[in-house]
Amino acid sequence: MPRRLDRDSTVYLLVPAGRNRPAGLGVKSRSIRASLWDARELRGAPVASPALTWATCARHLDVNELVVLGDALVATSTDYEGIVRPEQPPEGARTAPPLATLEELGEIARTWGNGVGGASLRAAVARVRAGVESPMETWTRLVIVAGGLPEPEVGVEVWNGSEFVGRVDLAYRAQKIAIEYEGDHHRTDKRQWRKDIGRVNRLQEIDWFAIRATTSQLWPTPTRFVEQVRAALSRATDGGGP
C-alpha cells in the first residue's frame, strides 16, 4: 500500500447489501452487493477475500497503485516482503500459493461494473503481472512503460547453456538487457550486495547489459533512467549490442 496511507488508522468494514452498516468513531463501512460478497477467515478474524479487498481499494488508490497491489496479490515468491499468507510456507520454500490469481482479479474487475473505481480496476488488471518480488519492481516497470518504451518481461531467469546465471527483475531478453531495482537492503546486506555484484559481472561476461535503478532514479523525475533504457534498446536494435 502507498506510504501516504501509513497514518490512516481507520477501520474499514464491509457488509453484504441489506445488512446494517456498523458505525462508530474511526470506523467506515460500506455495503457490497451479494454477487461480489466473498468473506474469508484469517487468523480467526473475518476478512474480505484478497480480490474483493483489492477491488474496494479502488476508492482510495490510483491505477498505478492498484497495479502495485495486484502484483503483490498474485506474487508467488516468498522473497516478496510484507505479504501475510494464510499459511506459513515450509522452511526454505521459494514459492507459495498467491493470495489471489489473475483470473480472480480479472473476474471482479469485470463484475464491479460502474461502481466507484470500476474503470480503474479494469485498467489496472490488464497491467498486473505474475512473478514480481517487490513493489518497486512493479513501479520500475510502470515507469518504463509510461516513458513510451516496450514493456519488459518480469522475473527473467538468465541461463548460459545449462548454467543458471541468475534471476533479474526485468529484462528485454532478445536484446540481452537486464534491469534491476536496488533497494536499501541490497546495500546494507553484505551477502546480498556480494551476490548482486557477482550476478551483474556474470551477466556482462555473457554479453548482457545491466541497468540498475534506485529510488532516486525513479522518483520524482525518472526521465534520465527512461532515456538510459531507451538508449540501450536503440543500440541493441541497431546491431551495436547493448
Side-chain angles (χ1 to χ4, degrees), residues 170-187:
L170 301 165
Y172 295 104
R173 196 190 299 264
Q175 292 82 9
K176 293 187 175 182
I177 298 171
I179 303 164
E180 297 268 60
Y181 174 77
E182 308 284 4
D184 274 350
H185 76 282
H186 291 265
R187 173 181 58 84

PDB file of all heavy atoms in Angstrom, residues 170-187:
ATOM      1  N   LEU A 170      13.667  -7.354 -14.338  1.00  0.00           N
ATOM      2  CA  LEU A 170      13.042  -7.051 -15.621  1.00  0.00           C
ATOM      3  C   LEU A 170      14.066  -7.290 -16.722  1.00  0.00           C
ATOM      4  O   LEU A 170      15.268  -7.138 -16.486  1.00  0.00           O
ATOM      5  CB  LEU A 170      12.572  -5.595 -15.674  1.00  0.00           C
ATOM      6  CG  LEU A 170      11.564  -5.145 -14.609  1.00  0.00           C
ATOM      7  CD1 LEU A 170      11.493  -3.625 -14.557  1.00  0.00           C
ATOM      8  CD2 LEU A 170      10.189  -5.733 -14.887  1.00  0.00           C
ATOM      9  N   ALA A 171      13.592  -7.629 -17.896  1.00  0.00           N
ATOM     10  CA  ALA A 171      14.547  -7.868 -18.979  1.00  0.00           C
ATOM     11  C   ALA A 171      13.890  -7.721 -20.342  1.00  0.00           C
ATOM     12  O   ALA A 171      12.693  -7.972 -20.515  1.00  0.00           O
ATOM     13  CB  ALA A 171      15.169  -9.260 -18.862  1.00  0.00           C
ATOM     14  N   TYR A 172      14.715  -7.299 -21.279  1.00  0.00           N
ATOM     15  CA  TYR A 172      14.416  -7.432 -22.701  1.00  0.00           C
ATOM     16  C   TYR A 172      15.300  -8.590 -23.157  1.00  0.00           C
ATOM     17  O   TYR A 172      16.487  -8.406 -23.452  1.00  0.00           O
ATOM     18  CB  TYR A 172      14.750  -6.150 -23.448  1.00  0.00           C
ATOM     19  CG  TYR A 172      13.885  -4.969 -23.036  1.00  0.00           C
ATOM     20  CD1 TYR A 172      14.389  -3.975 -22.210  1.00  0.00           C
ATOM     21  CD2 TYR A 172      12.573  -4.853 -23.490  1.00  0.00           C
ATOM     22  CE1 TYR A 172      13.603  -2.888 -21.831  1.00  0.00           C
ATOM     23  CE2 TYR A 172      11.783  -3.771 -23.113  1.00  0.00           C
ATOM     24  CZ  TYR A 172      12.301  -2.798 -22.290  1.00  0.00           C
ATOM     25  OH  TYR A 172      11.522  -1.715 -21.916  1.00  0.00           O
ATOM     26  N   ARG A 173      14.716  -9.753 -23.180  1.00  0.00           N
ATOM     27  CA  ARG A 173      15.503 -10.970 -23.379  1.00  0.00           C
ATOM     28  C   ARG A 173      16.218 -10.976 -24.727  1.00  0.00           C
ATOM     29  O   ARG A 173      17.403 -11.300 -24.818  1.00  0.00           O
ATOM     30  CB  ARG A 173      14.588 -12.194 -23.248  1.00  0.00           C
ATOM     31  CG  ARG A 173      15.320 -13.511 -23.062  1.00  0.00           C
ATOM     32  CD  ARG A 173      14.349 -14.662 -23.199  1.00  0.00           C
ATOM     33  NE  ARG A 173      13.289 -14.628 -22.216  1.00  0.00           N
ATOM     34  CZ  ARG A 173      13.303 -15.311 -21.070  1.00  0.00           C
ATOM     35  NH1 ARG A 173      14.344 -16.077 -20.784  1.00  0.00           N
ATOM     36  NH2 ARG A 173      12.293 -15.252 -20.231  1.00  0.00           N
ATOM     37  N   ALA A 174      15.496 -10.623 -25.785  1.00  0.00           N
ATOM     38  CA  ALA A 174      16.091 -10.672 -27.123  1.00  0.00           C
ATOM     39  C   ALA A 174      17.260  -9.709 -27.255  1.00  0.00           C
ATOM     40  O   ALA A 174      18.235  -9.984 -27.976  1.00  0.00           O
ATOM     41  CB  ALA A 174      15.037 -10.359 -28.190  1.00  0.00           C
ATOM     42  N   GLN A 175      17.193  -8.576 -26.559  1.00  0.00           N
ATOM     43  CA  GLN A 175      18.259  -7.565 -26.644  1.00  0.00           C
ATOM     44  C   GLN A 175      19.334  -7.773 -25.570  1.00  0.00           C
ATOM     45  O   GLN A 175      20.287  -7.012 -25.499  1.00  0.00           O
ATOM     46  CB  GLN A 175      17.666  -6.162 -26.508  1.00  0.00           C
ATOM     47  CG  GLN A 175      16.789  -5.734 -27.666  1.00  0.00           C
ATOM     48  CD  GLN A 175      15.361  -6.289 -27.549  1.00  0.00           C
ATOM     49  OE1 GLN A 175      14.979  -6.847 -26.524  1.00  0.00           O
ATOM     50  NE2 GLN A 175      14.569  -6.120 -28.595  1.00  0.00           N
ATOM     51  N   LYS A 176      19.142  -8.764 -24.696  1.00  0.00           N
ATOM     52  CA  LYS A 176      20.077  -9.063 -23.609  1.00  0.00           C
ATOM     53  C   LYS A 176      20.289  -7.833 -22.707  1.00  0.00           C
ATOM     54  O   LYS A 176      21.413  -7.458 -22.373  1.00  0.00           O
ATOM     55  CB  LYS A 176      21.425  -9.554 -24.152  1.00  0.00           C
ATOM     56  CG  LYS A 176      21.346 -10.904 -24.839  1.00  0.00           C
ATOM     57  CD  LYS A 176      22.744 -11.411 -25.199  1.00  0.00           C
ATOM     58  CE  LYS A 176      22.687 -12.813 -25.782  1.00  0.00           C
ATOM     59  NZ  LYS A 176      24.045 -13.333 -26.088  1.00  0.00           N
ATOM     60  N   ILE A 177      19.171  -7.244 -22.297  1.00  0.00           N
ATOM     61  CA  ILE A 177      19.202  -6.099 -21.387  1.00  0.00           C
ATOM     62  C   ILE A 177      18.480  -6.481 -20.101  1.00  0.00           C
ATOM     63  O   ILE A 177      17.318  -6.890 -20.131  1.00  0.00           O
ATOM     64  CB  ILE A 177      18.542  -4.862 -22.020  1.00  0.00           C
ATOM     65  CG1 ILE A 177      19.284  -4.431 -23.279  1.00  0.00           C
ATOM     66  CG2 ILE A 177      18.482  -3.714 -21.015  1.00  0.00           C
ATOM     67  CD1 ILE A 177      18.579  -3.352 -24.070  1.00  0.00           C
ATOM     68  N   ALA A 178      19.178  -6.369 -18.987  1.00  0.00           N
ATOM     69  CA  ALA A 178      18.603  -6.638 -17.670  1.00  0.00           C
ATOM     70  C   ALA A 178      18.414  -5.323 -16.921  1.00  0.00           C
ATOM     71  O   ALA A 178      19.262  -4.433 -16.988  1.00  0.00           O
ATOM     72  CB  ALA A 178      19.510  -7.569 -16.869  1.00  0.00           C
ATOM     73  N   ILE A 179      17.290  -5.206 -16.213  1.00  0.00           N
ATOM     74  CA  ILE A 179      17.005  -4.006 -15.428  1.00  0.00           C
ATOM     75  C   ILE A 179      16.713  -4.447 -13.996  1.00  0.00           C
ATOM     76  O   ILE A 179      15.822  -5.264 -13.760  1.00  0.00           O
ATOM     77  CB  ILE A 179      15.802  -3.232 -16.005  1.00  0.00           C
ATOM     78  CG1 ILE A 179      16.077  -2.866 -17.465  1.00  0.00           C
ATOM     79  CG2 ILE A 179      15.505  -1.993 -15.180  1.00  0.00           C
ATOM     80  CD1 ILE A 179      14.848  -2.454 -18.228  1.00  0.00           C
ATOM     81  N   GLU A 180      17.489  -3.916 -13.058  1.00  0.00           N
ATOM     82  CA  GLU A 180      17.381  -4.323 -11.662  1.00  0.00           C
ATOM     83  C   GLU A 180      17.058  -3.120 -10.783  1.00  0.00           C
ATOM     84  O   GLU A 180      17.687  -2.060 -10.907  1.00  0.00           O
ATOM     85  CB  GLU A 180      18.718  -4.923 -11.195  1.00  0.00           C
ATOM     86  CG  GLU A 180      19.140  -6.188 -11.940  1.00  0.00           C
ATOM     87  CD  GLU A 180      18.657  -7.433 -11.255  1.00  0.00           C
ATOM     88  OE1 GLU A 180      17.426  -7.578 -11.114  1.00  0.00           O
ATOM     89  OE2 GLU A 180      19.504  -8.236 -10.844  1.00  0.00           O
ATOM     90  N   TYR A 181      16.074  -3.301  -9.875  1.00  0.00           N
ATOM     91  CA  TYR A 181      15.838  -2.278  -8.866  1.00  0.00           C
ATOM     92  C   TYR A 181      16.620  -2.662  -7.622  1.00  0.00           C
ATOM     93  O   TYR A 181      16.522  -3.791  -7.139  1.00  0.00           O
ATOM     94  CB  TYR A 181      14.354  -2.134  -8.511  1.00  0.00           C
ATOM     95  CG  TYR A 181      14.163  -1.173  -7.373  1.00  0.00           C
ATOM     96  CD1 TYR A 181      14.238   0.196  -7.595  1.00  0.00           C
ATOM     97  CD2 TYR A 181      13.991  -1.625  -6.064  1.00  0.00           C
ATOM     98  CE1 TYR A 181      14.123   1.092  -6.555  1.00  0.00           C
ATOM     99  CE2 TYR A 181      13.879  -0.731  -5.017  1.00  0.00           C
ATOM    100  CZ  TYR A 181      13.947   0.626  -5.262  1.00  0.00           C
ATOM    101  OH  TYR A 181      13.851   1.508  -4.227  1.00  0.00           O
ATOM    102  N   GLU A 182      17.386  -1.720  -7.094  1.00  0.00           N
ATOM    103  CA  GLU A 182      18.224  -1.974  -5.916  1.00  0.00           C
ATOM    104  C   GLU A 182      17.671  -1.207  -4.724  1.00  0.00           C
ATOM    105  O   GLU A 182      17.812   0.006  -4.623  1.00  0.00           O
ATOM    106  CB  GLU A 182      19.672  -1.524  -6.189  1.00  0.00           C
ATOM    107  CG  GLU A 182      20.282  -2.076  -7.470  1.00  0.00           C
ATOM    108  CD  GLU A 182      20.700  -3.530  -7.335  1.00  0.00           C
ATOM    109  OE1 GLU A 182      20.447  -4.126  -6.274  1.00  0.00           O
ATOM    110  OE2 GLU A 182      21.275  -4.065  -8.298  1.00  0.00           O
ATOM    111  N   GLY A 183      17.000  -1.923  -3.821  1.00  0.00           N
ATOM    112  CA  GLY A 183      16.522  -1.313  -2.589  1.00  0.00           C
ATOM    113  C   GLY A 183      17.643  -1.195  -1.576  1.00  0.00           C
ATOM    114  O   GLY A 183      18.769  -1.668  -1.803  1.00  0.00           O
ATOM    115  N   ASP A 184      17.365  -0.577  -0.438  1.00  0.00           N
ATOM    116  CA  ASP A 184      18.402  -0.357   0.570  1.00  0.00           C
ATOM    117  C   ASP A 184      19.009  -1.663   1.070  1.00  0.00           C
ATOM    118  O   ASP A 184      20.185  -1.716   1.437  1.00  0.00           O
ATOM    119  CB  ASP A 184      17.839   0.429   1.752  1.00  0.00           C
ATOM    120  CG  ASP A 184      17.895   1.937   1.504  1.00  0.00           C
ATOM    121  OD1 ASP A 184      18.542   2.345   0.521  1.00  0.00           O
ATOM    122  OD2 ASP A 184      17.288   2.690   2.283  1.00  0.00           O
ATOM    123  N   HIS A 185      18.191  -2.735   1.106  1.00  0.00           N
ATOM    124  CA  HIS A 185      18.739  -3.996   1.629  1.00  0.00           C
ATOM    125  C   HIS A 185      19.830  -4.552   0.722  1.00  0.00           C
ATOM    126  O   HIS A 185      20.680  -5.319   1.168  1.00  0.00           O
ATOM    127  CB  HIS A 185      17.618  -5.023   1.825  1.00  0.00           C
ATOM    128  CG  HIS A 185      17.121  -5.642   0.552  1.00  0.00           C
ATOM    129  ND1 HIS A 185      16.254  -4.982  -0.304  1.00  0.00           N
ATOM    130  CD2 HIS A 185      17.371  -6.852  -0.022  1.00  0.00           C
ATOM    131  CE1 HIS A 185      15.991  -5.756  -1.331  1.00  0.00           C
ATOM    132  NE2 HIS A 185      16.653  -6.888  -1.194  1.00  0.00           N
ATOM    133  N   HIS A 186      19.826  -4.154  -0.559  1.00  0.00           N
ATOM    134  CA  HIS A 186      20.907  -4.578  -1.454  1.00  0.00           C
ATOM    135  C   HIS A 186      22.229  -3.933  -1.045  1.00  0.00           C
ATOM    136  O   HIS A 186      23.301  -4.453  -1.349  1.00  0.00           O
ATOM    137  CB  HIS A 186      20.575  -4.195  -2.901  1.00  0.00           C
ATOM    138  CG  HIS A 186      19.443  -4.976  -3.486  1.00  0.00           C
ATOM    139  ND1 HIS A 186      19.622  -6.103  -4.247  1.00  0.00           N
ATOM    140  CD2 HIS A 186      18.100  -4.787  -3.407  1.00  0.00           C
ATOM    141  CE1 HIS A 186      18.450  -6.577  -4.631  1.00  0.00           C
ATOM    142  NE2 HIS A 186      17.504  -5.791  -4.125  1.00  0.00           N
ATOM    143  N   ARG A 187      22.134  -2.803  -0.342  1.00  0.00           N
ATOM    144  CA  ARG A 187      23.329  -2.081   0.087  1.00  0.00           C
ATOM    145  C   ARG A 187      23.755  -2.493   1.497  1.00  0.00           C
ATOM    146  O   ARG A 187      24.949  -2.633   1.778  1.00  0.00           O
ATOM    147  CB  ARG A 187      23.044  -0.566   0.054  1.00  0.00           C
ATOM    148  CG  ARG A 187      24.139   0.309   0.629  1.00  0.00           C
ATOM    149  CD  ARG A 187      23.720   1.770   0.563  1.00  0.00           C
ATOM    150  NE  ARG A 187      22.477   2.008   1.267  1.00  0.00           N
ATOM    151  CZ  ARG A 187      22.387   2.222   2.583  1.00  0.00           C
ATOM    152  NH1 ARG A 187      23.477   2.204   3.326  1.00  0.00           N
ATOM    153  NH2 ARG A 187      21.214   2.445   3.143  1.00  0.00           N
TER     154      ARG A 187
END
